[in-house]
Structure formats: C-alpha cells, structure tokens
Amino acid sequence: MKKSIILNHQKKEIEIAERFDSVKKKYGLFFTPEWIVEFMIKISNFKKGKVLEPACGLGQFLSKMAEQIIKKSKKKPDLDKMLLGIELIKDLSSEANNYINEYLSANNYKVDYGRIPILNTNYLLEVLPQQFDLIIGNPPYGIMGNSSHYPISVSPKDKKIYKEKFRTWKGKYNIYGAFIEKSINLLKDSGKLVFIVPATFMLLDEFSKLRHFLAEHGKTSIYYLGLNVFRTAHVSTAIIKFEKGKKGLRLYDFQNRKKIKVVDKKEYSGELMYFEDKMTKAIEKGALCLGKLCVINIAARSPEIKKCSFVHKKKGTSLLPILKGTNLKPHKILYNKPLSGYWIKRDKITHLRDYYDKVRIVVGHTKGGKIEAAIDYKKYPWVGDVYQLTIIKNSDLFLPKFSMKDIVEILNSKLMNKYVAILYKKITPHTTATQLKLLPIHKKEKWRNLEKRYG
C-alpha cells in the first residue's frame, strides 16, 4: 500500500513538471531527483525561520519546503514571510508560483497560501540582508567566461566584477563556488546551507580558497553521490551541508542511497577532502611524499605551442613530434603516434620548457583518475595537461634516494591505483598537481611488503 502511495505521488510530480516542459526545454532546466530533494530537506533539520532557494527555477525546493511547513503548522502559515526564491530568468521566475501552487494542490493542500516572493535578479550581485536560517537548492555550475569557450557566458567586464567580489575566486572558477560563498555570507550565525553540486570542489586546486573559506566559517558535511545523478550531466555529484559557526569536516559515502560515514574530523583547515581508511593510512605511514622527491611541472600549453615561432604544423625529416597525453601509457611512451599535429627541431625544444632536454618522468593528468607514468628517455617535448617530473638532487644523507625507475614502478602499481581509488573515488577524472605531490613513496622492499598485505 505504502509503495503505491509513493508511486502516485511521484506520478503527480512528473505530470506537473511535464506541464512546464516548454519552459524547461527553452532554458535547459532539469529537475533534481525527488528523493534527493527530500533527503536534503531532511538533513537540513529545518524547524523555523526564513528559507531561500537561489537559482530556484520553477521552485522545486520551495514547493517541498512549503509542503513541510504546512504539515508542521497548526494554523495557516505565512509562506510569503518564510520563503524566498531568486531566479535570473524572467520566464522561470514568473512561472514559479504557478508550479508551486499546482504542486500543493496536487498534494491536497487546497487552501490559498498566497504567493511566495520570487525575485527576478542576479543572485550573485543582488544585495540582500544576512537573514536566512536555511539556504537550499541546486545552483548552476560551469566555468564563467567567453560564450565560445565556456558554458556560463559572462562578459569580461562582469567577470572582473565577480573576481573582485568573491574572495574564493581562483583560476577558472566555477559559478557554483561563488554561489556557495555568497550563500554562506547570507546565513545567520547558526544558519545552514544545503546544496547539491559537482564534487570537484573537494579536490581541484581552483577550489583551494573555497575550502579554506568553508573551514574558516563553519562545519562542512559532504554526502558523496558519485556519477549519473543527473542523466544529462556526467559529473560526480555531492550534497554539501554547511553549518555556520561550528567546526569540523564529515564525509559520507552515500552511493546507492546508503549513508556510510567515512571521515569525521573535529578540526579542518581547508586541505583536500578525501576518503581515507586504515589501508590508506598504513600506506602513508613513514612514506615520503612525491613532491619531496620530484619537481612537478606541467607541459607546455596549446596556446604557447601555437604562438612559438619554432613550432611547425607539417612533419619534416629533422623535426621531432610534440607528444600529448594519449602518447603516454603505463611504463611506455608511444613516440610516433597518435600525433599532436605539431613538430619542432630538437635544438629548439628548450624554448618551450627548459627541462625538455632532460630525461624525466611523465605522468598523465587526465587518465580517469588513474596514475599512469613512464620515463621519457628520448627527451621529447610535450603539449597539454601532462605532468613532467624531474628528480630533486637532495644532499641530505639521511633521506633515502630513489631512482626514476623505482618511482615509476610504484606510481603504476596496482596498490598505488587502489590507494588513489579509495582516497579520491571518481570525484574527478583529473589528477591535480596537489594530489600528485602528496602520493606516498616507499623504498622497494617496504612497498612490496605493503603490496603483499593489501593486494
């Protein structure tokens, strides 16, 4: 009986959403799965106060919040004083109350609860008082910039305003990071933020300032959902719950709707957010970090290659091909194929990078979260997101010495890739420079003992 009630409830949701299909398709709007909305409201533990849904679209979270408030109220609640939505797109903001009212009516709330205020404005630039007990929703995501290169179209003038306004802005910043910062600033001292966002902020270097901002202002709990939460967006997703004024970090592995607490730190200072366990801690014990053994650089970027006057676009007998990420395999470099489409004379390669004339370790940047490494004995030039590692000549007699061969063997090992898979899951297909620097390296005998122990 209970199952049929749930199915009927979901059917109503779908029918209501379908009535707004033309609006949804026009703006690429897709709804957060119902069970996630309900879970987010549940963990918010909202009792009373004022609620905001930024980038509210048609008001999916506002609908559920309104329903919950009505259920718990003994008399008719003033929804217009408790709930607020903000939406940049006028067509959506003007339809939001129609959607909310249809939702309430379909779920047998027939009373006229009035209109919830929906502001048609740019949330990131709108000046609002610090008054919210809960900010909840599904903010937009994407890198902001020129429309021909980036998903969030922003003029150079507006981008400059954003950079100056948000202290967490770094590099190719993602708009959802700005939404998190703005929302935390609008919370009351004991307020809560609950957003569903890409999980990339947990690891990527572009979010280092955001992680420190979170640590400085409160306690963060992450519910990692993994891939395929949204059918049209192939990105690892997480729910972030932030409690202003508290301290610490909690990580839950919440794939397949089973909540498993993995990390619980009373103190957190903004470092990477990763899923450690007994095995990862054992591997790290007594290890030297790769960043202590090697200088880690990134290969020349495509714009640099294109601008370099020594680079040729046609193959010549005296020219070396410039290699790219797909030329790299574990323990192997494919020197002849596939090609980048660029060539250069050997005596000119140092114009791209001064270390290109040295034997070095090459590590893949985008290998689906795996670590793949090889030694470039032939000293070829590279282009794109490929790490180039040179051994640091250390004069400290007490530090163990490692050969390139030893390091590459460890980096490609099943144990190292098992370690990386547990620690970072599938949060991002990229390996960041920070992740690479932190990889634990042991002498051969110790590493082999760890492999025997942990397979």
Side-chain angles (χ1 to χ4, degrees), residues 174-187:
N174 197 301
I175 193 170
Y176 79 82
F179 265 75
I180 291 173
E181 180 185 338
K182 170 87 173 187
S183 300
I184 287 171
N185 287 332
L186 292 178
L187 290 174

Side-chain angles (χ1 to χ4, degrees), residues 228-442:
N228 303 321
V229 171
F230 299 98
R231 290 179 186 176
T232 55
H234 189 73
V235 61
S236 285
T237 310
I239 294 167
I240 174 172
K241 175 187 173 183
F242 179 85
E243 299 169 88
K244 196 167 185 176
K246 293 188 177 182
K247 286 186 176 181
L249 173 70
R250 279 186 180 175
L251 302 183
Y252 296 92
D253 191 354
F254 198 57
Q255 297 178 80
N256 302 318
R257 306 192 194 186
K258 293 178 181 178
K259 188 175 77 172
I260 304 168
K261 186 166 68 176
V262 181
V263 174
D264 192 350
K265 295 181 180 180
K266 291 182 179 179
E267 296 290 333
Y268 173 65
S269 55
E271 61 272 16
L272 300 184
M273 298 172 173
Y274 47 78
F275 294 86
E276 59 191 0
D277 66 4
K278 288 181 180 179
M279 190 201 87
T280 63
K281 288 177 182 177
I283 292 172
E284 289 165 0
K285 190 176 180 180
L288 275 172
C289 291
L290 185 61
K292 295 282 186 183
L293 301 172
C294 298
V295 176
I296 299 172
N297 293 296
I298 196 81
R301 304 287 191 176
S302 292
E304 297 173 66
I305 297 288
K306 290 174 183 177
K307 287 178 183 178
C308 182
S309 59
F310 300 110
V311 170
H312 300 263
K313 289 186 178 180
K314 290 186 178 181
K315 186 177 180 180
T317 52
S318 61
L319 299 177
L320 285 179
I322 298 176
L323 305 183
K324 58 181 182 176
T326 47
N327 291 92
L328 174 65
K329 304 295 178 187
H331 297 290
K332 187 189 295 184
I333 293 171
L334 309 175
Y335 287 101
N336 296 318
K337 60 178 183 179
L339 302 177
S340 66
Y342 297 104
W343 287 263
I344 191 170
K345 286 186 177 181
R346 178 168 287 283
D347 62 356
K348 302 297 183 185
I349 60 176
T350 53
H351 287 274
L352 295 173
R353 290 288 185 271
D354 57 4
Y355 50 77
Y356 277 168
D357 65 347
K358 296 180 175 67
V359 174
R360 61 199 179 279
I361 298 169
V362 182
V363 181
H365 173 267
T366 309
K367 295 290 184 178
K370 293 181 179 179
I371 304 296
E372 294 186 2
I375 301 172
D376 185 358
Y377 289 109
K378 293 187 177 182
K379 300 183 280 190
Y380 268 47
W382 292 74
V383 61
D385 293 333
V386 187
Y387 294 109
Q388 313 282 310
L389 282 59
T390 51
I391 300 284
I392 296 171
K393 292 180 180 178
N394 202 312
S395 59
D396 191 334
L397 296 174
F398 296 99
L399 280 178
K401 301 295 187 289
F402 291 85
S403 69
M404 286 188 183
K405 193 175 178 182
D406 291 342
I407 292 172
V408 167
E409 193 173 321
I410 289 171
L411 292 178
N412 285 320
S413 68
K414 287 183 179 179
L415 181 61
M416 178 61 80
N417 277 281
K418 185 177 180 180
Y419 167 86
V420 169
I422 290 171
L423 216 60
Y424 304 122
K425 297 192 178 290
K426 292 182 179 178
I427 292 172
T428 168
H430 309 99
T431 301
T432 70
T434 302
Q435 285 173 274
L436 207 55
K437 287 174 185 176
L438 293 174
L439 292 181
I441 306 294
H442 290 278

Side-chain angles (χ1 to χ4, degrees), residues 60-309:
Q60 190 184 8
F61 285 86
L62 291 174
S63 303
K64 295 282 188 183
M65 288 302 305
E67 182 182 20
Q68 178 175 293
I69 291 166
I70 293 166
K71 273 182 183 178
K72 291 183 177 180
S73 298
K74 293 180 180 178
K75 59 180 182 178
K76 181 183 172 183
D78 296 321
L79 294 180
D80 60 327
K81 293 178 181 176
M82 298 180 71
L83 301 176
L84 174 66
I86 295 180
E87 175 53 55
L88 179 62
I89 300 166
K90 192 168 184 179
D91 285 359
L92 295 178
S93 63
S94 62
E95 288 284 359
N97 266 289
N98 294 333
Y99 177 84
I100 294 164
N101 290 334
E102 279 209 34
Y103 173 82
L104 292 175
S105 179
N107 287 285
N108 298 314
Y109 300 104
K110 304 294 185 183
V111 178
D112 181 6
Y113 292 97
R115 293 182 69 81
I116 294 167
I118 310 290
L119 301 183
N120 174 219
T121 187
N122 185 333
Y123 175 67
L124 294 180
L125 300 180
E126 184 69 19
V127 178
L128 296 163
Q130 185 184 355
Q131 61 176 352
F132 297 100
D133 299 276
L134 172 64
I135 299 178
I136 189 168
N138 180 0
Y141 69 91
I143 297 170
M144 292 183 274
N146 185 297
S147 59
S148 62
H149 291 91
Y150 301 107
I152 307 292
S153 180
V154 174
S155 69
K157 182 182 175 182
D158 286 345
K159 191 170 181 177
K160 186 181 178 184
I161 293 170
Y162 287 129
K163 281 185 176 182
E164 291 170 355
K165 187 174 179 66
F166 295 102
R167 57 177 280 199
T168 60
W169 193 289
K170 183 181 178 183
K172 292 181 179 179
Y173 204 41
N174 197 301
I175 193 170
Y176 79 82
F179 265 75
I180 291 173
E181 180 185 338
K182 170 87 173 187
S183 300
I184 287 171
N185 287 332
L186 292 178
L187 290 174
K188 290 180 181 177
D189 289 342
S190 58
K192 294 173 187 173
L193 167 74
V194 184
F195 273 172
I196 180 167
V197 292
T200 47
F201 75 96
M202 298 171 68
L203 299 179
L204 294 185
D205 294 336
E206 287 90 336
F207 293 99
S208 59
K209 289 184 178 181
L210 178 64
R211 289 192 294 270
H212 283 93
F213 182 84
L214 292 169
E216 181 185 338
H217 287 85
K219 178 180 179 179
T220 301
S221 298
I222 306 294
Y223 300 82
Y224 179 67
L225 303 174
L227 291 164
N228 303 321
V229 171
F230 299 98
R231 290 179 186 176
T232 55
H234 189 73
V235 61
S236 285
T237 310
I239 294 167
I240 174 172
K241 175 187 173 183
F242 179 85
E243 299 169 88
K244 196 167 185 176
K246 293 188 177 182
K247 286 186 176 181
L249 173 70
R250 279 186 180 175
L251 302 183
Y252 296 92
D253 191 354
F254 198 57
Q255 297 178 80
N256 302 318
R257 306 192 194 186
K258 293 178 181 178
K259 188 175 77 172
I260 304 168
K261 186 166 68 176
V262 181
V263 174
D264 192 350
K265 295 181 180 180
K266 291 182 179 179
E267 296 290 333
Y268 173 65
S269 55
E271 61 272 16
L272 300 184
M273 298 172 173
Y274 47 78
F275 294 86
E276 59 191 0
D277 66 4
K278 288 181 180 179
M279 190 201 87
T280 63
K281 288 177 182 177
I283 292 172
E284 289 165 0
K285 190 176 180 180
L288 275 172
C289 291
L290 185 61
K292 295 282 186 183
L293 301 172
C294 298
V295 176
I296 299 172
N297 293 296
I298 196 81
R301 304 287 191 176
S302 292
E304 297 173 66
I305 297 288
K306 290 174 183 177
K307 287 178 183 178
C308 182
S309 59

Side-chain angles (χ1 to χ4, degrees), residues 1-7:
M1 183 68 179
K2 188 178 179 182
K3 187 177 179 181
S4 66
I5 292 170
I6 292 169
L7 288 173

